[in-house]
Amino acid sequence: MPGEKQTAVKYYVGVDVGSASVRAALVDGSGTVVAHAEQPIQVWEPQPDHYEQSSADIWAACCSVTKQVVHGVDASQIRGLGFDATCSLVVVDKQFQPLAVNCEGQNHRNVIMWMDHRAASQVERINATQHRVLNYVGGAMSVEMQPPKLLWIKENLPESWEKVGYFFDLPDFLSWKATGVTARSLCTVVCKWTYTSDRGWDDSFWKVIGLEDLVKEKYEKIGNHVLSPGEAVGKGLTAEAAKDLGLPEGIAVAASLIDAHAGGLGVIGADVKGHNLPCENQPITSRVAMICGTSSCHMGVSETPIFVPGVWGPYFSAMVPGLWLNEGGQSATGKLIDHVVRGHVAFPELEAKAAASAHSIYTYLNSHLDLIKKSLPVGFLTVDLHVWPDFHGNRSPLTDLTLKGMVVGLTLSRGLDELALIYLATIQAIALGTRHILEVMQAAGHDISTLFLCGGLSKNPLFVQMHADITGKPVVLSKEVESVLVGAAVLGACASGDFATIQEAMAKMGKIGRIVQPNHEHKRFYDKKYEVFLKLVEHQREYRSIMNSL
């Protein structure tokens, strides 16, 4: 923690709400994380494809971790607060009390999580309208966006619908809790609600999908006051929120970001001079920020709007002010790896051996792969084992939530070697999916030379190397592994007025660490793996067509 000689240092607090935990960091003006804390939050899964949380539980965790990171720090040095969160839907009544999003009437479960797919039929009907707003989400809306979830609530929970006072994207709920101001972030409403920065809300869209009552109420329930990310909200932290968070009343609170966008902010603007990277002396548009956690997001920016089939956007100023954003994504990456590894019959053996060696299960698996590879490169072990990774549907670039996972090349073997191989093949499948997304973005007009990775999976060296080898592009890892938290702190720094622009804060607070180069000698192998990868989805669609003809 900072000592007496550092009393002039300015600090910013970043709070990140992920799928399973809330994290906070105290970050200085150079982007160094000085203190960090984490606390789990509860997830309910009452039935398949339904995932719910509690806004009260989330806020309590935000308060707990924030108090931990600022403990012992001179309050006068803390200049600003920024939030990011998953793009989950928070529902409250007219008195801002939690309102049930479930048939059981459990009001404390008032958050429909981003990964909830209950609104599949609603999104199918929305996409059938072919409304012009869909051009800005890759041509088809995702079930993970908010309009289909709103429609599901109206059709399935009429009592809750009548009582609703406000629908918040989770990042906006947090800035409201901190300031008492119901303003929404341009990031959330543009990326998940169909708002556009030039035209605002499109009345005809809401009317055609059956949510005309939102129009009649002049969008009060979903937001009619929109701020740019990093813009100061209201008069800063309220007295009540200041007490809850352990922060000084009145400090600047920033308009928030979705978590992936905060990760992008934390890495994509870093200074790369002297590292001999292809993006050096090139505009930021030559970079893609990849945020890899439970799911993965691929964030690319452009100076003019680029419409990419199956990739969300273009969204103006949704991440970096003045630039258009395209966002590719994979709905299950970290969650998929966990699912495959923990569901394997050899998992108890893995768990015991990893514990005995005092390593994580993934560090142990990486070491085990090195043992069994013999003279081969590790990646070549899967020459006869192939995975299609859409166990939770395809977000990009196929926008097909009905796609399923596939594994080709299984044997009767049940040991640790086989677990290590399916783990490797799963990581490769995720990287092949990234290559698929990047190729579609490049075909539409993006010029991408370098990947910038952050998030939990970026700590796994095998995951990083496979992405470099399979995409053929160098991977830049940030100096601070908690780039999402740095991105949230960047928002607080901007709201405080200590930086004139987001871009200035990004350049000064984003620092690069390790660079992982692709092994070009392996290109032919991964080109062939990619051919097989694309064949897998062809075959899946073919056999589904056969069965659907019954």
Side-chain angles (χ1 to χ4, degrees):
M1 293 299 294
E4 289 181 10
K5 293 181 181 179
Q6 294 175 301
T7 51
V9 175
K10 295 175 180 178
Y11 295 109
Y12 313 95
V13 175
V15 178
D16 163 53
V17 180
S19 299
S21 67
V22 175
R23 303 178 304 151
L26 187 69
V27 182
D28 68 17
S30 68
T32 301
V33 174
V34 177
H36 171 267
E38 184 170 5
Q39 183 168 312
I41 49 178
Q42 193 163 356
V43 176
W44 287 269
E45 188 181 355
Q47 55 185 290
D49 286 335
H50 288 231
Y51 295 92
E52 297 168 7
Q53 290 181 312
S54 159
S55 63
D57 178 50
I58 291 168
W59 180 249
C62 290
C63 296
S64 175
V65 292
T66 302
K67 283 179 177 176
Q68 290 177 58
V69 299
V70 301
H71 180 71
V73 179
D74 183 344
S76 67
Q77 293 176 255
I78 302 171
R79 300 277 298 156
L81 169 64
F83 292 100
D84 74 78
T86 64
C87 49
S88 300
L89 178 67
V90 184
V91 185
V92 296
D93 67 17
K94 293 172 178 64
Q95 287 74 46
F96 295 96
Q97 295 304 303
L99 202 55
V101 295
N102 48 76
C103 299
E104 298 89 344
Q106 298 290 314
N107 283 327
H108 66 286
R109 286 162 37 199
N110 68 317
V111 179
I112 299 179
M113 286 187 72
W114 65 270
M115 62 184 181
D116 186 292
H117 284 190
R118 69 182 67 183
S121 69
Q122 285 78 14
V123 79
E124 188 176 343
R125 280 181 273 141
I126 290 171
N127 286 328
T129 68
Q130 298 185 325
H131 194 279
R132 58 179 173 261
V133 300
L134 301 178
N135 293 332
Y136 289 85
V137 291
M141 182 168 286
S142 167
V143 71
E144 295 170 9
M145 293 179 176
Q146 308 303 10
K149 292 174 181 173
L150 298 179
L151 191 55
W152 185 92
I153 292 172
K154 182 176 181 178
E155 293 176 350
N156 292 273
L157 303 174
E159 289 187 15
S160 286
W161 183 262
E162 289 303 318
K163 294 177 182 176
V164 167
Y166 301 90
F167 294 104
F168 286 104
D169 220 282
L170 182 53
D172 296 323
F173 171 82
L174 298 173
S175 61
W176 166 73
K177 283 291 286 186
T179 65
V181 176
T182 61
R184 307 309 206 271
S185 166
L186 185 67
C187 174
T188 59
V189 293
V190 165
C191 295
K192 306 300 173 185
W193 299 73
T194 74
Y195 187 91
T196 60
S197 52
D198 55 344
R199 296 190 308 273
W201 298 114
D202 190 320
D203 294 355
S204 66
F205 169 71
W206 298 101
K207 289 174 181 176
V208 78
I209 69 168
L211 293 177
E212 61 283 344
D213 28 355
L214 297 177
V215 182
K216 292 175 185 173
E217 295 155 353
K218 297 182 179 177
Y219 301 104
E220 184 180 4
K221 288 181 179 177
I222 62 173
N224 49 24
H225 179 202
V226 178
L227 300 174
S228 295
E231 193 173 343
V233 181
K235 297 179 180 178
L237 205 60
T238 65
E240 182 182 358
K243 183 179 178 182
D244 288 346
L245 293 161
L247 292 170
E249 181 182 349
I251 68 162
V253 176
S256 54
L257 279 172
I258 298 165
D259 54 352
H261 301 65
L265 211 60
V267 296
I268 202 170
D271 185 354
V272 298
K273 285 178 184 172
H275 292 277
N276 198 30
L277 286 163
C279 63
E280 187 175 346
N281 299 320
Q282 297 297 315
I284 195 174
T285 54
S286 65
R287 310 176 182 190
V288 159
M290 187 173 161
I291 298 83
C292 327
T294 304
S295 61
S296 291
C297 295
H298 308 73
M299 323 290 277
V301 292
S302 58
E303 293 180 359
T304 57
I306 299 175
F307 293 85
V308 185
V311 172
W312 297 343
Y315 304 133
F316 186 67
S317 291
M319 184 173 77
V320 181
L323 294 178
W324 294 84
L325 171 69
N326 283 108
E327 180 185 348
Q330 296 161 293
S331 292
T333 49
K335 188 174 179 66
L336 174 61
I337 296 168
D338 276 352
H339 172 78
V340 168
V341 170
R342 294 178 183 275
H344 196 279
V345 68
F347 178 70
E349 179 188 353
L350 166 65
E351 198 170 32
K353 287 184 174 178
S357 66
H359 287 121
S360 74
I361 58 173
Y362 296 115
T363 299
Y364 189 89
L365 279 172
N366 292 349
S367 299
H368 191 77
L369 285 166
D370 284 334
L371 285 176
I372 65 176
K373 72 175 185 178
K374 299 179 182 175
S375 61
L376 286 171
V378 165
F380 289 24
L381 289 169
T382 60
V383 65
D384 292 320
L385 185 61
H386 310 281
V387 172
W388 179 262
D390 290 332
F391 286 51
H392 198 51
N394 183 282
R395 187 189 299 172
S396 303
L398 303 177
T399 59
D400 186 347
L401 65 90
T402 69
L403 285 175
K404 305 292 189 287
M406 300 172 70
V407 182
V408 175
L410 293 174
T411 70
L412 292 175
S413 301
R414 294 154 51 91
L416 195 54
D417 287 3
E418 286 66 40
L419 171 51
L421 291 177
I422 192 68
Y423 158 72
L424 171 61
T426 301
I427 286 177
Q428 289 176 332
I430 292 166
L432 290 162
T434 291
R435 176 169 168 173
H436 196 193
I437 291 166
L438 295 180
E439 286 192 357
V440 170
M441 290 177 69
Q442 289 175 145
H446 282 277
D447 184 13
I448 300 161
S449 67
T450 312
L451 300 182
F452 287 68
L453 260 64
C454 67
L457 290 176
S458 69
K459 301 171 190 176
N460 184 333
L462 180 66
F463 184 90
V464 175
Q465 189 65 58
M466 287 299 102
H467 275 77
D469 289 351
I470 287 171
T471 64
K473 300 182 189 301
V475 172
V476 178
L477 301 173
S478 59
K479 185 177 180 182
E480 286 291 348
V481 294
E482 305 297 350
S483 296
V484 176
L485 283 167
V486 172
V490 163
L491 296 174
C494 289
S496 73
D498 291 343
F499 294 91
T501 64
I502 288 270
Q503 287 92 330
E504 180 191 349
M506 283 167 57
K508 290 187 178 176
M509 295 177 72
K511 299 284 188 294
I512 71 169
R514 195 162 62 94
I515 296 168
V516 177
Q517 295 288 350
N519 188 327
H520 294 295
E521 292 180 4
H522 299 168
K523 180 180 184 301
R524 187 167 180 273
F525 177 81
Y526 290 117
D527 285 348
K528 294 298 182 185
K529 285 282 288 189
Y530 187 56
E531 281 186 46
V532 174
F533 180 79
L534 297 179
K535 286 287 185 187
L536 290 177
V537 73
E538 279 184 36
H539 291 319
Q540 181 173 160
R541 286 175 161 168
E542 185 178 349
Y543 76 63
R544 287 169 67 180
S545 175
I546 292 169
M547 297 309 296
N548 288 339
S549 66
L550 284 172

